[in-house]
Structures are given as C-alpha cells and as structure tokens.
Amino acid sequence: QVQLVESGGGLVQAGGSLRLSCAASGRTFSAYGLGWFRQAPGKEREFVAAITWTTYYADSVKGRFTISRDNAKNTVYLQMNSLKIEDTAVYYCAARFSATMSSNLSEYAYWGQGTQVTVSS
C-alpha cells in the first residue's frame, strides 16, 4: 500500500511559478512509476506528466512544467513555470507499481488527495 500526500498548491498570477511536492510512504518508492494529473471544474481528470527512469509530458505543459523525483526522500515534484489561467485545477499525484511509462490514469493504483492550483490574471 502506498500513501501519497501533495503540497505546494496555491494562488499565483499568470506567468508565475509554483512547485508541487508529493511525499510517498513505502519502502519501494524507487520502483514506482509516478505521475501528475489535474482536474479543472467541470472537466475530466487529465494527464500532466509522468516519470520513471525518464519523463513524459502532456503537450499543453511541455516546456513549462518539469517533473522530478528524489528517491532518497520518497518525493516527486512538479515545477510549474509560466503558469496560465487554464492551468487552474486540482493537481493529483499518482503512483503505479511499474517501471514503464503511462499517461493513462486508469493504470495508476494509488492517488493523493489533491492540491488546488489557481492562476489569476
């Protein structure tokens, strides 16, 4: 069982930056594939970024967001730069016990509670 706790969300002006963190329990953190997803009001949850031994991004965030992990701290990060109003959403981190990359939310077994990111004009 893996428990995930996100932090770092908040209110930021368009063009600004935020860094989200997701702390995970468990002793096999390095074996997990990790992802960030987001859900805006009235919309379905969507893929943002994923990391295994490499990284993968949604086109909408490529070049602006960076996913990284610190296996020693059991933590995955999402650095978000050049934020846009359309990035406003609840951001969730997720984990799957696989070293393969996936952007499919149904393939992630473990989810955090989410953290709100609001980008204002």
Side-chain angles (χ1 to χ4, degrees), residues 15-18 63-66 79-84 87:
S17 299
L18 279 176
R64 300 188 297 122
F65 291 11
T66 302
Q79 176 67 43
M80 305 185 294
N81 299 328
S82 302
L83 282 160
K84 303 176 181 180
D87 294 319

Side-chain angles (χ1 to χ4, degrees), residues 32-35 49-56 67-69 76 101 108:
Y32 283 86
L34 301 162
I51 186 168
T52 54
W53 55 271
T54 186
T55 58
Y56 180 62
I67 187 171
S68 61
R69 66 192 296 168
V76 59
M101 187 67 70
Y108 287 80

